[in-house]
Amino acid sequence: MQYDETVELIRAGFLETMNDPVTKPKTRAKTKVERPRLHKVILINDDYTPREFVTMVLKAEFRMTEDQAYKVMITAHKLGACVVAVFTKDVAETKATRATDAGRAKGYPLLFTTEPEE
Ligand code: TYC
């Protein structure tokens, strides 16, 4: 049998299968790509960590300017907590841990938590 004939038969069979209501798949492969959910890093107020130190940690760990860091610190101070930024889960958890550990190393109860965004 000629190669071209063989190819033609395979194609015909394939097309027949695709049009056969019994064997034709009823569902389509899911092609949508979803973005990973982002997680918030939240700064929690306490009565002991110096304002200056909180601001310094925000600048160092979250690459904030003095003004940005001061605003986040003072918001947490007044309201009890403040969202610092959002990241992928891994990055949010790593940054929250590093920032919390920076306070602990100085004996401060400074706390950063994470939670998934809606
Ligand atoms: N409340 C602290 C003070 O008066 C400062 C502070 C602000 C501590 C924000 C933690 O997340 C915080 N020294």
Side-chain angles (χ1 to χ4, degrees):
M1 193 183 286
Q2 294 288 311
Y3 171 78
D4 283 354
E5 279 175 63
T6 307
V7 168
E8 213 34 65
L9 284 169
I10 291 167
R11 275 191 188 141
F14 174 73
L15 290 173
E16 199 172 288
T17 299
M18 293 307 282
N19 291 319
D20 180 346
V22 177
T23 55
K24 190 177 174 183
K26 291 270 185 294
T27 55
R28 293 255 226 134
K30 185 175 177 185
T31 52
K32 273 192 186 162
V33 175
E34 274 150 35
R35 291 176 208 277
R37 268 175 103 194
L38 295 177
H39 290 242
K40 297 180 275 198
V41 173
I42 300 161
L43 169 64
I44 309 296
N45 185 43
D46 68 72
D47 292 339
Y48 306 100
T49 310
R51 294 180 181 199
E52 272 267 295
F53 185 80
V54 179
T55 304
M56 187 196 75
V57 169
L58 289 168
K59 285 162 70 177
E61 191 57 47
F62 298 94
R63 300 166 153 270
M64 290 182 164
T65 64
E66 177 73 28
D67 279 15
Q68 292 170 329
Y70 183 82
K71 280 178 184 162
V72 168
M73 180 281 294
I74 210 69
T75 301
H77 175 74
K78 287 178 177 165
L79 304 181
C82 182
V83 174
V84 179
V86 294
F87 303 99
T88 54
K89 187 172 194 283
D90 268 20
V91 174
E93 284 170 357
T94 300
K95 285 185 179 289
T97 300
R98 284 173 48 104
T100 298
D101 286 351
R104 181 173 300 177
K106 292 277 187 184
Y108 299 134
L110 182 64
L111 179 62
F112 290 80
T113 62
T114 66
E115 63 173 70
E117 272 200 325
E118 306 73 51

